[in-house]
Amino acid sequence: MPKIGDFVSFLCFEIGDFVRFCLFKIGDFVIFASKQIGDFVIMIFKRKIYSKLLDWKKTAKGKRALVIKGARRVGKSTIVKEFAKNEYKSFIFIDFAEASKRTKELFEDISDLNFLFVQLQMIYKVQLFERQSVIIFDEVQLVPLARQAIKYLVADGRYDYIETGSLIGIRKYMTNIVIPSEETTINMFPLDFEEFRWALGDTVTVPLLKQCFDSQKPIGEVVTREIIRNFRLYMLIGGMPQAVNEYIETNNFACVDEMKRTILNLYETDLVKIDTTGRASLMFKNIASQLSHGGSRFKVSSVIENGRAETILSVLNDMEASMMVNVAYHCDEPNIGMSLSKNIEKFKLYLNDTGLFVTSIYKDSDAVDNKIYEKILSDKLEANLGYIYKNIVAQTLRSMGKELFYYTFPAENSNHNYEIDFLINNSNKICPLEVKSSGYKKHTSIDEFSKKYSSCIKNKYVVYTKDLKKDLDIIYLPIFMLQFL
């Protein structure tokens, strides 16, 4: 947990015998906050996206609204509320999932903005100040006319505007409105490894790892084992704020697993909204089984009767837009313009959060015993769980803003296929990544790939669970250093 001595400011408000709200800050970042009602505590964690919100406020200066995209339960509403509290004189938070009929009807006629603003201030008992206040539209997809009104509200210029919502609903409900162009869009993902360590009170480890990565110096076997164990803990819990909060509050993997099951059930309910035939839900539920089989693509026909990749492209597009899944597409011709040869009918699916992915593997059981978590944490589970490591690599690359590509090609004089797990761009070159769930150092696929595309390659990486090492032209990269690429 954070220590008071580490913080520049500390605000505490008490009601009766319990703390209602605590806020800690270092510079411009919210580090930790809690709201306690009775015995229930909700933590608010430091998120890197906060600096992006600051950049938007500084550069947009009221001329563009902000849209935050992200899957359900990644913390969009929480972060915008904290941002509004810290960076504005006042704010109005409109949750359209709970807003009154009177509030929603205000956006049916916005010809008189003075009337609109007066009504909002009266309803929410908040005074707005010109160029010092922000209005937040949460779950904006539920009131399409509010989203359409952004164009005119921004043009008015009196206040700032932030929008959050489910992209599933945005695509479903907003086909008949004019989508405003006066918007800046930011993607929000689950907590990354560094944010997870911040949540546990560790602000030192990741910066030190970055120094080692930059100098290309190993950190030693003992330290590597400790950090790998910490990284496995992150993989098991995941980066969903509610799951992290549950771990900090209970230190019980069973309680964490129950929270993740709640989120997975919510996702599955949302997927029905994407496709009422159930195809999206079936694909989502079979992500782990498809990855465990090690195939070169997601085999739609094995999940959906008479299904083919070309028949579910619209469903796949909606699933990807929801940000509940990460999609890796096959690159038919690896080069710096990989998007030009993206094969949209040949793909792999990963969950947006590896903690959720671990729970989905055992979701057929009523609950996951703590012993299973402990075995995974200690790397003692007998099953081959290499696909869990591939899921965390996909999650990490997406949080870094990279699109996901992979490549397969046949071996000469054999029915065997070689596969490059991930391809990324770097300085007008490509970097192949081969993911290993142990210290295994064989890299046949990268070797064969190099023979075909040597002129296009910058660096070659084996992402694994041992110390940083370079052997000839191969960089053996600890999985916890992947974020520095």
Side-chain angles (χ1 to χ4, degrees):
M1 297 290 284
K3 298 177 181 178
I4 295 176
D6 295 334
F7 302 97
V8 174
S9 63
F10 169 53
L11 302 178
C12 179
F13 302 92
E14 296 186 2
I15 299 178
D17 295 328
F18 60 87
V19 177
R20 179 72 175 180
F21 179 73
C22 297
L23 173 63
F24 302 84
K25 292 186 70 179
I26 293 179
D28 293 326
F29 293 99
V30 175
I31 304 298
F32 164 83
S34 69
K35 294 180 181 178
Q36 181 171 320
I37 303 177
D39 296 327
F40 182 64
V41 178
I42 301 174
M43 288 177 153
I44 301 170
F45 306 110
K46 175 182 175 182
R47 303 300 299 270
K48 294 177 181 178
I49 196 174
Y50 197 96
S51 62
K52 295 182 180 180
L53 302 185
L54 286 172
D55 289 342
W56 161 76
K57 183 175 185 290
K58 180 180 178 181
T59 58
K61 297 179 179 178
K63 296 181 180 179
R64 296 183 67 83
L66 178 67
V67 178
I68 300 182
K69 296 181 180 179
R72 297 279 296 273
R73 301 298 176 90
V74 296
K76 301 185 299 295
S77 301
T78 301
I79 197 67
V80 297
K81 281 184 181 179
E82 291 304 308
F83 179 72
K85 289 176 184 175
N86 299 332
E87 310 301 335
Y88 290 88
K89 188 173 181 178
S90 70
F91 72 95
I92 290 177
F93 183 87
I94 306 174
D95 181 353
F96 283 117
E98 300 179 352
S100 65
K101 180 180 179 182
R102 173 187 172 193
T103 300
K104 296 175 182 179
E105 289 177 346
L106 288 175
F107 294 93
E108 295 178 3
D109 181 0
I110 59 169
S111 58
D112 187 348
L113 291 181
N114 290 329
F115 176 79
L116 172 66
F117 295 138
V118 167
Q119 291 298 308
L120 289 177
Q121 290 175 89
M122 292 177 62
I123 292 171
Y124 289 93
K125 306 297 188 294
V126 173
Q127 182 178 358
L128 295 173
F129 302 90
E130 188 167 337
R131 301 304 320 131
Q132 298 182 69
S133 298
V134 60
I135 300 176
I136 300 167
F137 291 171
D138 194 46
E139 302 293 351
V140 68
Q141 79 280 355
L142 298 178
V143 182
L145 290 177
R147 178 89 190 278
Q148 181 171 266
I150 287 293
K151 175 182 179 66
Y152 308 100
L153 295 173
V154 169
D156 174 73
R158 272 177 269 186
Y159 313 114
D160 286 351
Y161 300 91
I162 300 176
E163 306 164 70
T164 73
S166 165
L167 292 188
I168 298 174
I170 288 176
R171 294 175 65 86
K172 179 179 179 180
Y173 297 117
M174 299 203 172
T175 56
N176 297 320
I177 70 165
V178 177
I179 301 298
S181 58
E182 297 78 9
E183 294 175 330
T184 295
T185 300
I186 298 176
N187 290 329
M188 187 171 184
F189 301 95
L191 277 74
D192 65 18
F193 180 54
E194 184 171 20
E195 291 173 321
F196 178 76
R197 294 309 303 172
W198 288 342
L200 300 185
D202 174 13
T203 60
V204 176
T205 297
V206 174
L208 290 178
L209 291 177
K210 180 63 163 62
Q211 292 179 20
C212 295
F213 174 83
D214 290 340
S215 63
Q216 292 293 288
K217 293 181 179 179
I219 60 178
E221 183 178 345
V222 174
V223 176
T224 299
R225 283 202 302 267
E226 180 184 353
I227 298 175
I228 280 293
R229 182 177 172 84
N230 290 337
F231 193 82
R232 287 198 188 101
L233 177 65
Y234 166 60
M235 291 168 61
L236 290 173
I237 296 171
M240 304 304 283
Q242 287 177 303
V244 177
N245 180 75
E246 193 69 23
Y247 173 72
I248 293 173
E249 287 297 308
T250 67
N251 197 34
N252 186 301
F253 288 130
C255 294
V256 174
D257 189 74
E258 187 62 32
M259 177 58 70
K260 290 188 292 179
R261 287 168 183 264
T262 299
I263 297 173
L264 284 171
N265 290 335
L266 175 66
Y267 280 11
E268 291 173 12
T269 299
D270 282 346
L271 286 166
V272 176
K273 301 175 185 177
I274 288 181
D275 179 36
T276 55
T277 67
R279 292 174 297 172
S281 180
L282 280 172
M283 291 172 66
F284 184 81
K285 292 177 181 178
N286 282 276
I287 290 176
S289 63
Q290 290 277 318
L291 290 174
S292 67
H293 293 154
S296 62
R297 69 177 78 185
F298 189 101
K299 295 182 180 179
V300 177
S301 60
S302 67
V303 175
I304 301 172
E305 187 176 358
N306 299 320
R308 301 185 309 277
E310 61 268 26
T311 64
I312 54 86
L313 292 182
S314 61
V315 174
L316 179 65
N317 186 51
D318 285 339
M319 292 178 69
E320 188 173 17
S322 75
M323 297 180 71
M324 290 187 288
V325 300
N326 292 320
V327 185
Y329 291 98
H330 190 272
C331 177
D332 289 344
E333 187 59 38
N335 54 54
I336 59 172
M338 287 186 286
S339 294
L340 299 176
S341 63
K342 179 170 71 174
N343 188 335
I344 60 175
E345 295 183 5
K346 190 174 182 180
F347 60 88
K348 292 187 177 186
L349 289 180
Y350 300 92
L351 257 68
N352 67 335
D353 179 74
T354 304
L356 296 181
F357 183 66
V358 170
T359 295
S360 74
I361 296 173
Y362 301 102
K363 199 167 185 290
D364 289 340
S365 304
D366 290 337
V368 174
D369 192 283
N370 273 345
K371 291 181 181 179
I372 295 177
Y373 275 83
E374 290 166 2
K375 286 183 177 181
I376 296 177
L377 187 61
S378 302
D379 199 24
K380 293 181 179 179
L381 199 65
E382 295 178 1
N384 177 16
L385 297 177
Y387 52 95
I388 296 180
Y389 285 87
K390 291 183 182 180
N391 198 92
I392 194 63
V393 169
Q395 177 184 341
T396 301
L397 293 176
R398 281 298 298 129
S399 69
M400 294 162 60
K402 297 183 181 297
E403 290 189 57
L404 302 181
F405 295 99
Y406 72 102
Y407 181 65
T408 59
F409 57 103
E412 293 184 5
N413 304 318
S414 171
N415 293 327
H416 172 72
N417 281 338
Y418 295 116
E419 180 172 322
I420 302 299
D421 295 318
F422 297 96
L423 291 169
I424 61 174
N425 287 326
N426 190 331
S427 302
N428 296 322
K429 296 281 187 176
I430 57 175
C431 299
L433 277 66
E434 194 166 339
V435 182
K436 304 293 184 182
S437 59
S438 66
Y440 189 63
K441 299 179 181 178
K442 190 176 180 180
H443 41 76
T444 307
S445 293
I446 284 185
D447 294 339
E448 295 300 319
F449 181 80
S450 299
K451 295 176 183 178
K452 291 172 62 72
Y453 298 101
S454 59
S455 62
C456 299
I457 297 174
K458 181 178 175 65
N459 293 319
K460 295 176 281 187
Y461 296 97
V462 172
V463 181
Y464 75 152
T465 60
K466 299 296 182 180
D467 199 0
L468 180 65
K469 174 184 176 181
K470 187 169 184 180
D471 184 8
L472 298 177
D473 59 346
I474 299 288
I475 299 173
Y476 294 92
L477 187 72
I479 194 166
F480 51 72
M481 287 188 178
L482 177 65
Q483 60 190 303
F484 304 135
L485 291 184

